[in-house]
């Protein structure tokens, strides 16, 4: 450790190079640590489950046209056909799809009256097959009975008197009591229309993955008498891709007064909804890798330069008895000192950038432990980068001291 | 002199090929990443209709819930209008040009019986839409005022739909079946894709324009479905389509053209007046909060530039900074290595200014080379962005001549800035000290 004194004094003679490297390390650390934090956040967001049997579920739209189109009989016929198809676990008519980006939301409140605030919730209109087709579990209360299902006319403002809610939604509505106690309680939709909670399901996400209330969902017991409608089909494992073209063909040929369109798997919905996040992860990763290489090359370049400039001094030291290890240690330590300044500065900048990002882009504040890990990593990068030039310095022959350059 | 310095610069670059390559690569990477993000941001924040973006105003009136503002944070009025307000304001005709509008869709049954019916998006608008937004026509024209008032079943097609249904022929005057009704084609638009799609940013500011255009009042006449966003603070009173149209649900947009500030002030006064009238009728329970935003103000308000894009641009500027610091370090190393040569040139009579100019040319050369490679990398980067984000960025990921010039200038300026200190240091070498050791 006695060596630090001379190294420090030598550094002070050639501040510019050292300062350049320190700043470079600081900015690199700022970008890398913030990027890693963003990647981890986005990754967590992407890992959330929708609640569906994603690998084995797809959906398809049917849009009727012409004067003679009968929505009610079409839906009944379609569902009967779909459910009878070998390989289909279950099929339902549904108004919107989890994590697909488009849907319907309402507010639910525990007291009637326009003066009370509602809690936002995604609405899924399903019949008694909904639980099975969506692959959700009723963890309290019970599923809808076939007699609960009503037909919803286009633009009807009324609601059925039963509702099934996700556990997350129940916990938001009744924060003070155990969630299971909510079964049988009344909530109000449209300010004043009562709905009785008949069941609670474990998990079902809203259509909008960026929504704060993404875990809030409700099932409303109804089929829709709409000309444009959607079916969600859950298949047995491995049967989805075989069934998709079959289903499309079957629906298209069973009724000529409609257009069959928008057939898509839930996996594709997920890919589309999270495309921005996955792109961001890839871009940030690329940036991090390139940036680390650039910084490391910068360290190699400047270290080589400083080794070359000091060939004669190194030779002299060697001639006076310094071992190869001592020379190696000299350059490693020098880099360690510079890196230390860099990472301390970097820690400040990292926090600064994070605060800026939190304020400007409503991001979350960073966990503290990212900072020490980032410092450690950049220290290591510096040491690895300087090792090559330091080895070469250690290899300089003592005889160099006797030569003029 | 310049060409001589340039020759010297090339020679000097060739003497240390690895060091030179490192410097050019560092600048190229910095410029490449910056230009990629600058391009995306530049196109996202572009003025979609520069010739009159300060004369077109988006209309907002506050018809919202007495208990809750439409937007808790900003206290902005609702971002769309109710049917009642859209039709009232259109009937008042208080601006030189105006159009209410809505998005819808329906099934087109092609003329040719062999072609399958398909679904297409509809923009419901008034005929001023086409003149206000400078929509180019390939065939025919917009429909007439009479067609708007009498709710005639006339239709304007995009070029793509005309190609699909009529094989690209001049279809003006022919009929087409859509949403179960027969329409007469009055016009075919030429290719038109404002970026951003400013007139309605509800379902994505960089979406394609709608495929079919028809008079606004047909919404009521044909009971066309709501596409886009529908938002209600209270449910419609009663069943059916009429009840929805009379409800407080918002699904409609409106633009007015106001050539002067006086026109704008007049129109705002009219809106306030209108809101007071509605209050007298028992609507508009909230405090007066009407707003007119011109195109760029509206784009800002709707935050069409994605946060991710802005964040990327910040990061890429920091990236460029690291690359430049790197270059400074490498230039320092390089010029110090040349101190003997510099000493010799000084001794045989070159002034400090001469040497400064010579080395500035050298750094400039490195900058230009880095800039050229950087533009190449930016093209790669934009391709990468297209493949990562899919179709919707197709309009957002292409370099134009302005961007190429910006990129080269950025490279040149930043490399010269990076070269200033090393050059200054190199020129301050005392010739005697260098000559002694030779």
């Amino acid at each position: 450790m006695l060596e630090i004194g001379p190294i420090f004094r030598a550094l002070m003679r050639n501040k510019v190079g050292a300062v350049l490297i320190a700043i470079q390390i600081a900015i690199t650390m700022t970008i890398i640590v913030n990027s890693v934090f963003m990647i981890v956040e986005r990754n967590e967001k992407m890992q959330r489950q929708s609640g569906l049997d994603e690998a084995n579920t797809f959906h398809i739209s049917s849009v009727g046209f012409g004067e003679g189109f009968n929505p009610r009989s079409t839906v009944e016929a379609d569902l009967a056909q779909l459910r009878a198809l070998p390989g289909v676990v279950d099929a339902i008519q549904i108004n919107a799809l989890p994590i697909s980006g488009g849907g319907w939301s309402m507010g639910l409140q525990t007291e009637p009256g326009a003066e009370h605030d509602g809690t936002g919730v995604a609405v899924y209109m399903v019949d008694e097959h909904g639980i099975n087709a969506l692959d959700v579990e009723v963890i309290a209360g019970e599923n809808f009975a076939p007699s609960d299902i009503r037909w919803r006319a286009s633009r009807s403002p009324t609601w059925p008197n039963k509702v099934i809610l996700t556990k997350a939604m129940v916990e938001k509505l009744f924060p003070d009591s155990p969630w299971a106690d909510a079964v049988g309680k009344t909530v109000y939709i449209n300010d004043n229309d009562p709905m009785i909670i008949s069941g609670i399901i474990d998990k079902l996400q809203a259509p909008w993955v960026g929504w704060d209330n993404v875990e809030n969902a409700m099932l409303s017991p109804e089929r829709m008498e709409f000309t444009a409608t959607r079916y969600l089909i859950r298949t047995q494992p491995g049967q989805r891709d075989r069934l998709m073209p079959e289903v499309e063909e079957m629906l298209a040929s069973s009724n000529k007064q409609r257009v069959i369109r928008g057939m898509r798997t839930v996996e594709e919905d997920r890919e589309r909804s999270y495309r921005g996040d996955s792109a961001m992860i890839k871009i940030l990763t690329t940036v991090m890798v390139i940036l680390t290489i650039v910084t490391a090359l910068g360290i190699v370049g400047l270290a080589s330069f400083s080794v070359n400039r000091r060939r004669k001094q190194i030779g002299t030291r060697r001639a006076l008895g310094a071992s190869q290890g001592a020379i190696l240690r000299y350059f490693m330590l020098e880099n360690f000192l510079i890196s230390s300044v860099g990472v301390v500065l970097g820690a400040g900048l990292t926090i600064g950038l994070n605060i800026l990002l939190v304020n400007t882009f409503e991001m979350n504040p960073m966990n503290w432990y990212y900072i020490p890990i980032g410092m450690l990593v950049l220290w290591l990068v510096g040491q690895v980068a300087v090792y090559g030039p330091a080895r070469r310095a250690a290899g300089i022959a003592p005889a160099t001291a006797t030569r003029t350059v | 002199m310049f060409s001589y310095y340039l020759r010297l610069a090339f020679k000097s670059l060739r003497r240390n090929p690895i060091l030179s390559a490192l410097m050019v690569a560092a600048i190229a990477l910095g410029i490449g990443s910056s230009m990629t993000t600058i391009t995306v941001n530049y196109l996202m924040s572009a003025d979609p209709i520069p010739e009159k973006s300060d004369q077109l105003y988006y209309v907002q009136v506050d018809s919202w819930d007495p208990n809750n503002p439409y937007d808790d944070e900003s206290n902005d009025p609702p971002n769309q209008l109710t049917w009642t307000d859209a039709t009232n304001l259109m009937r008042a005709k208080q601006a030189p040009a105006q159009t209410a509008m809505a998005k819808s869709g329906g099934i087109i049954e092609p003329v040719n019986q062999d072609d399958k019916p398909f679904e297409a998006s509809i923009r419901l608008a008034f005929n001023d839409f086409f003149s206000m937004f400078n929509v180019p026509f390939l065939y025919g024209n917009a429909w007439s005022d009479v067609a708007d008032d009498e709710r005639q079943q006339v239709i304007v097609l995009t070029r793509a739909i005309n190609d699909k249904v009529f094989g690209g022929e001049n279809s003006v005057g022919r009929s087409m079946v859509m949403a179960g009704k027969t329409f007469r084609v009055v016009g075919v638009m030429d290719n038109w894709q404002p970026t951003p799609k400013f007139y309605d940013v509800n379902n994505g500011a960089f979406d394609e324009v709608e495929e079919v255009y028809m008079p606004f009042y047909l919404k009521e006449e044909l009971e066309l479905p709501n596409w886009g966003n529908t938002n209600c603070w209270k449910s419609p009173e009663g069943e059916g389509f009429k009840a929805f149209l009379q409800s407080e649900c918002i699904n409609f947009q409106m633009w007015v053209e106001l050539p002067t500030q006086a026109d704008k002030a007049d129109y705002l006064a009219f809106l306030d007046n209108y809101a007071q009238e509605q209050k007298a009728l028992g609507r508009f329970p909230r405090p007066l909060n009407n707003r007119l935003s011109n195109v760029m103000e509206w784009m800002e308000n709707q935050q069409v530039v994605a946060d991710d894009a802005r964040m990327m641009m910040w990061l890429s500027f920091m990236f460029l900074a690291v690359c430049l610091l790197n270059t400074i370090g490498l230039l320092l190393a390089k010029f110090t290595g040349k101190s003997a040569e510099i000493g010799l040139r000084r001794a045989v009579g070159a002034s400090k200014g001469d040497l400064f100019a010579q080395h500035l040319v050298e750094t400039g050369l490195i900058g230009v080379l880095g800039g050229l490679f950087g533009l190449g990398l930016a093209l790669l980067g934009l391709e990468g962005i297209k493949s990562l984000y899919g179709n919707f960025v197709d309009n957002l990921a292409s370099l134009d001549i302005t961007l190429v010039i910006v990129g080269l200038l950025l490279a040149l300026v930043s490399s010269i800035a990076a070269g200033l200190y090393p050059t200054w240091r190199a020129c301050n070498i005392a010739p005697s000290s260098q000559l002694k050791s030779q």
Side-chain angles (χ1 to χ4, degrees), chain B residues 22 27 79 184 241 243 299 414 425 437:
Chain B
L22 270 179
I27 291 185
N79 65 350
R184 182 167 53 86
F241 197 83
M299 297 300 96
S414 49
R425 271 250 306 230
S437 62

Side-chain angles (χ1 to χ4, degrees), chain A residues 14 16-17 20 23-24 27-28 30-31 34-35 38 42 63-67 106 114-118 153-159 190-191 228 252 256 258-259 261 271 275-280 282-284 286-288 290-291 293-299 301-302 305 309 353 356-357 360-363 404-405, chain B residues 19 22 25-26 29 33 65 67-68 73 106-109 116-119 179-181 219 223-227 233-244 306-312 314-316 318-319 321-323 325-330 332-334 336-337 385 387-392 421 425 437:
Chain A
N14 183 17
V16 183
L20 283 175
I23 299 179
Q24 217 172 313
I27 300 182
T28 304
T30 309
I31 298 180
N34 275 287
S35 300
M38 278 190 254
R42 305 251 172 169
V63 188
F65 62 90
E67 298 295 334
M106 291 294 292
E115 65 277 17
H116 296 290
D117 269 355
S154 183
R155 296 170 199 285
S156 164
T158 64
W159 291 88
N190 267 341
D191 297 336
K256 294 285 183 199
R258 61 153 161 214
V259 174
R261 55 177 284 274
E271 194 273 320
R275 186 175 288 168
D277 295 304
S278 86
M280 196 76 174
K282 286 179 193 148
I283 294 171
L284 288 174
T286 316
V287 166
M288 277 169 47
I290 298 178
L291 194 57
I293 295 174
V294 167
T295 304
L297 284 181
I299 294 173
L302 276 189
F305 164 67
R309 237 182 20 164
L353 179 65
L356 203 64
L357 291 175
T360 321
F361 299 114
E362 289 161 19
M363 268 178 40
T404 50
V405 182
Chain B
L19 206 58
L22 270 179
L29 282 171
S33 68
D65 186 349
N67 298 307
N68 285 303
E73 280 166 29
I107 303 286
I108 294 179
E109 296 169 53
K116 277 193 177 166
F118 63 96
E119 192 176 42
K181 297 285 186 289
K219 168 94 182 168
E223 305 207 345
L224 293 168
N226 298 357
W227 283 24
W233 61 272
K234 96 178 170 194
S235 279
E237 286 160 15
E239 303 253 342
F241 197 83
K242 284 273 179 309
F244 163 75
D307 276 358
D308 278 2
R310 286 201 296 154
M311 199 142 64
M312 279 296 163
W314 290 14
L315 287 183
S316 68
M318 292 176 71
F319 188 106
V322 171
C323 293
L325 286 170
N326 217 317
T327 310
I328 297 179
L330 295 172
L332 266 179
K334 187 175 167 68
T336 316
I385 284 188
S387 75
L388 285 177
Y389 284 94
N391 299 336
F392 104 99
Y421 176 73
R425 271 250 306 230
S437 62

Side-chain angles (χ1 to χ4, degrees), chain B residues 129-191:
Chain B
F129 178 92
F130 303 97
S131 53
M132 281 170 76
F133 300 147
N134 293 342
V135 178
F137 274 88
L138 187 64
Y139 305 120
N141 263 309
W143 55 79
S144 62
D145 289 337
V146 182
D148 268 328
D149 293 339
E150 291 183 354
R151 311 180 173 201
Q152 291 177 4
Q153 290 175 6
V154 291
I155 205 167
V156 168
L157 305 177
T158 53
R159 193 171 178 163
I161 288 292
N162 189 54
D163 287 349
K164 193 164 173 180
V165 179
F166 295 103
E169 289 171 30
N170 183 349
S171 59
V172 172
R174 297 181 61 177
S175 49
M176 189 180 107
V177 178
M178 183 167 198
K181 297 285 186 289
T182 305
F183 288 84
R184 182 167 53 86
V185 178
V186 293
V188 175
M189 287 162 45
D190 206 344
N191 296 327

Side-chain angles (χ1 to χ4, degrees), chain B residues 411-422:
Chain B
L412 192 63
V413 169
S414 49
S415 66
I416 288 182
L420 277 181
Y421 176 73

